[in-house]
Amino acid sequence: MSKLVIIGNGIAGVTVARHVRKRSDIEIMIISAETEHFFSRTALMYIFMGHMTYEHTKPYEDCFWQKNRIDLKQDYVDEINTETKVLTLASGEKIDYSQLVMATGSQSNKFGWPGQDLPGVQTLFNYQDLLLMEENSKHAKHAVIVGGGLIGVEMAEMLISRGIEVTFLVREERFWGNILPDDEAKLVQQHAEIHGVHFKFSTELNTITAGNNGRVNAITTSTGEELACDFVGLSVGVHPSITLAAKSNMAVGRGILVNDFLETNIADVYAVGDCAEIEVVEGRNRIEPLWYTGKMQGETLARTITGDKTKYDRGIWFNSAKFFDVEYQTYGFVANEPIDGIDSFYWQHPKENICVRITYQTDTQVVTGVNTFGIRMRHNIWQHWLSHHCTLKYVLQNLRTANFDPELFRHYEKNIITAFNKQYPSNKLTLSPLQWLTKRFTKEQTNAQ
């Protein structure tokens, strides 16, 4: 009987297992050294802040796996023999497979800073990191976080919730400067500062030093400044975990190289999620270290494994995040700097941390992307608009149909239209009150949903 073995129990690997089980009765085993059961990695911060327990982060009851005949093994995989199709575990146990899925995820970046391995210095990526952060922050008074990524924002919020002062070193001239346009970056920066974050822009880590007790007690920056601290969080991104694949004759680049069907160069071996690098004909290969793309890849690969060979199609780019209590969504492509041939319309609430930026082609007015802060948008609506090349005028006139905020939340579409009309009086938009009430129920929008 066929046996599917999946290395890694993150969202990508678990999705493969669940969807293969829906379509097949083959034997399935998931191997992971991190935790016995799948949990929501994005919820780690809420465990630390006391909003949830670890048990709350598990989407499925422990009995789910036995009920669905998915075997779980908590161990490291030391070696893969792709010729004999046998795995060797750290415990010495041998596991055979018919098909193998590499879902080994990512690991945090470190760049060889002096002192980066001192006690009190850490990254935040897995459950073990969370336990270490509990220990390292027990007596901390001041923390330095290096790198302006989302993990750094999470660490800042976590530490501030414990009354620990946070200084943020950001290499760029503004927060998330390689992703966000200036207006959105300022909004996030100011909101974080209100919550107690102290930013140092255009500043990099130079060295980390220890005190008499052997633990971190200060850092020096690229500007020569010394900052006293008793906790250092390293959040300078992640890279695919490829060590096991590389020593197992799998082709690797930045990640494990796969084609559009998520197949590696080895027969019956696949890769999904953060560790997979999708080869493209033109341009830079793609690594997609996102929760939702891992889930999509897992669903796609399950079809291929069960006999329905299916090409992975990411569709319209999407991502979301949370900066303290401000929710962020992006669809399509919104550049951090101006691009020839692309214009944008930007609206920001005068008092609240709410804004919308819609980018569009200058000549055709076709919308190419959107950033939203503080307004929840419907994924399916924006996917429809972007894939069907809808114009800016159409999107603005129908913007309320995309609003996904809970009932009784204030709506700002009229304010947005008013701002657009002031900025572009020659392209003035009109929409009657009756249209505002009925627009979401039109046949076209029903089909879009």
Side-chain angles (χ1 to χ4, degrees):
M1 184 177 181
S2 295
K3 182 175 182 179
L4 171 66
V5 175
I6 301 165
I7 303 177
N9 71 345
I11 183 62
V14 164
T15 300
V16 174
R18 288 181 52 247
H19 283 263
V20 167
R21 175 55 69 235
K22 290 179 180 181
R23 301 169 60 88
S24 170
D25 289 328
I26 67 172
E27 187 177 350
I28 302 173
M29 175 182 286
I30 300 176
I31 304 173
S32 173
E34 182 178 3
T35 56
E36 181 180 3
H37 297 103
F38 168 55
F39 72 97
S40 176
R41 192 179 305 280
T42 57
L44 283 175
M45 65 181 294
Y46 300 114
I47 301 175
F48 185 91
M49 295 167 68
H51 301 169
M52 307 174 76
T53 68
Y54 169 69
E55 293 300 318
H56 295 151
T57 69
K58 294 192 288 186
Y60 310 104
E61 295 182 0
D62 292 352
C63 63
F64 169 88
W65 307 101
Q66 183 176 2
K67 180 180 178 181
N68 287 275
R69 292 170 290 113
I70 299 173
D71 296 327
L72 305 179
K73 185 169 289 290
Q74 191 172 8
D75 205 339
Y76 286 97
V77 177
D78 273 349
E79 183 181 332
I80 304 171
N81 189 322
T82 57
E83 293 184 1
T84 61
K85 294 188 173 182
V86 172
L87 311 179
T88 301
L89 306 186
S91 62
E93 184 179 358
K94 304 285 187 179
I95 303 290
D96 64 288
Y97 69 87
S98 301
Q99 293 173 297
L100 177 67
V101 175
M102 303 293 291
T104 50
S106 293
Q107 56 192 92
S108 300
N109 290 334
K110 290 185 177 182
F111 293 105
W113 296 291
Q116 67 179 18
D117 297 317
L118 285 172
V121 181
Q122 68 165 97
T123 59
L124 178 63
F125 188 75
N126 56 36
Y127 184 66
Q128 285 71 26
D129 289 336
L130 176 69
L131 299 179
L132 181 61
M133 192 167 173
E134 284 282 0
E135 183 64 29
N136 281 335
S137 64
K138 274 184 180 178
H139 305 293
K141 302 296 183 183
H142 189 90
V144 170
I145 296 176
V146 182
L150 287 176
I151 293 176
V153 175
E154 291 181 357
M155 293 181 87
E157 185 172 357
M158 293 162 71
L159 293 165
I160 287 172
S161 75
R162 300 277 180 97
I164 300 169
E165 293 185 357
V166 172
T167 299
F168 220 132
L169 305 188
V170 180
R171 181 176 59 182
E172 292 84 11
E173 295 179 354
R174 62 179 186 259
F175 181 78
W176 242 26
N178 60 337
I179 296 175
L180 293 180
D182 191 52
D183 291 310
E184 291 95 304
K186 287 179 179 176
L187 183 150
V188 174
Q189 174 191 335
Q190 291 168 2
H191 187 64
E193 288 173 339
I194 289 172
H195 281 79
V197 177
H198 305 285
F199 286 101
K200 289 187 178 293
F201 293 102
S202 301
T203 305
E204 298 183 58
L205 174 65
N206 196 13
T207 61
I208 307 171
T209 57
N212 294 331
N213 60 0
R215 297 183 64 83
V216 60
N217 78 335
I219 64 105
T220 58
T221 73
S222 56
T223 63
E225 184 178 7
E226 181 174 285
L227 299 175
C229 58
D230 35 28
F231 180 98
V232 175
L234 303 178
S235 63
V236 288
V238 297
H239 62 275
S241 296
I242 61 173
T243 302
L244 179 61
K247 70 178 185 180
S248 305
N249 300 319
M250 297 178 205
V252 298
R254 293 178 297 145
I256 303 172
L257 295 174
V258 296
N259 60 18
D260 285 338
F261 297 95
L262 304 171
E263 299 167 318
T264 70
N265 62 309
I266 306 294
D268 298 321
V269 179
Y270 311 88
V272 290
D274 291 15
C275 67
E277 179 180 355
I278 303 170
E279 298 182 82
V280 297
V281 176
E282 298 179 359
R284 187 179 174 92
N285 293 347
R286 298 202 320 262
I287 296 175
E288 301 176 356
L290 301 174
W291 185 93
Y292 89 95
T293 52
K295 184 174 184 291
M296 290 171 62
Q297 288 180 19
E299 292 174 356
T300 301
L301 181 56
R303 299 181 69 90
T304 293
I305 288 173
T306 55
D308 179 16
K309 192 167 184 177
T310 304
K311 183 180 291 188
Y312 169 64
D313 179 9
R314 180 185 65 193
I316 300 299
W317 178 259
F318 162 76
N319 197 11
S320 63
K322 197 172 182 182
F323 301 96
F324 290 87
D325 56 344
V326 176
E327 295 187 34
Y328 157 70
Q329 289 178 294
T330 185
Y331 297 92
F333 179 68
V334 180
N336 62 323
E337 301 288 352
I339 295 178
D340 289 341
I342 300 293
D343 283 334
S344 71
F345 163 67
Y346 181 74
W347 170 84
Q348 182 171 331
H349 193 280
K351 296 181 180 179
E352 300 179 47
N353 293 310
I354 299 172
C355 70
V356 174
R357 181 184 298 277
I358 303 175
T359 59
Y360 58 93
Q361 296 173 3
T362 307
D363 53 353
T364 65
Q365 304 285 293
V366 169
V367 167
T368 57
V370 63
N371 282 346
T372 70
F373 284 82
I375 299 177
R376 294 178 181 175
M377 296 287 186
R378 295 181 185 275
H379 188 147
N380 54 351
I381 296 292
W382 270 103
Q383 182 168 343
H384 176 83
W385 287 344
L386 290 167
S387 62
H388 286 74
H389 310 294
C390 293
T391 64
L392 178 63
K393 179 179 179 179
Y394 179 88
V395 167
L396 287 173
Q397 288 180 318
N398 293 276
L399 194 58
R400 192 162 189 173
T401 64
N403 191 300
F404 195 49
D405 281 329
E407 190 177 5
L408 303 181
F409 267 51
R410 289 187 62 188
H411 285 243
Y412 298 97
E413 289 80 10
K414 288 185 179 180
N415 306 67
I416 294 169
I417 291 290
T418 299
F420 177 83
N421 287 339
K422 287 182 179 179
Q423 293 181 40
Y424 305 96
S426 61
N427 292 321
K428 210 165 188 178
L429 300 176
T430 58
L431 204 60
S432 71
L434 182 60
Q435 283 179 294
W436 283 112
L437 293 173
T438 61
K439 183 62 71 174
R440 72 169 61 217
F441 299 107
T442 63
K443 180 178 180 181
E444 183 173 5
Q445 291 307 308
T446 300
N447 291 339
Q449 294 180 42

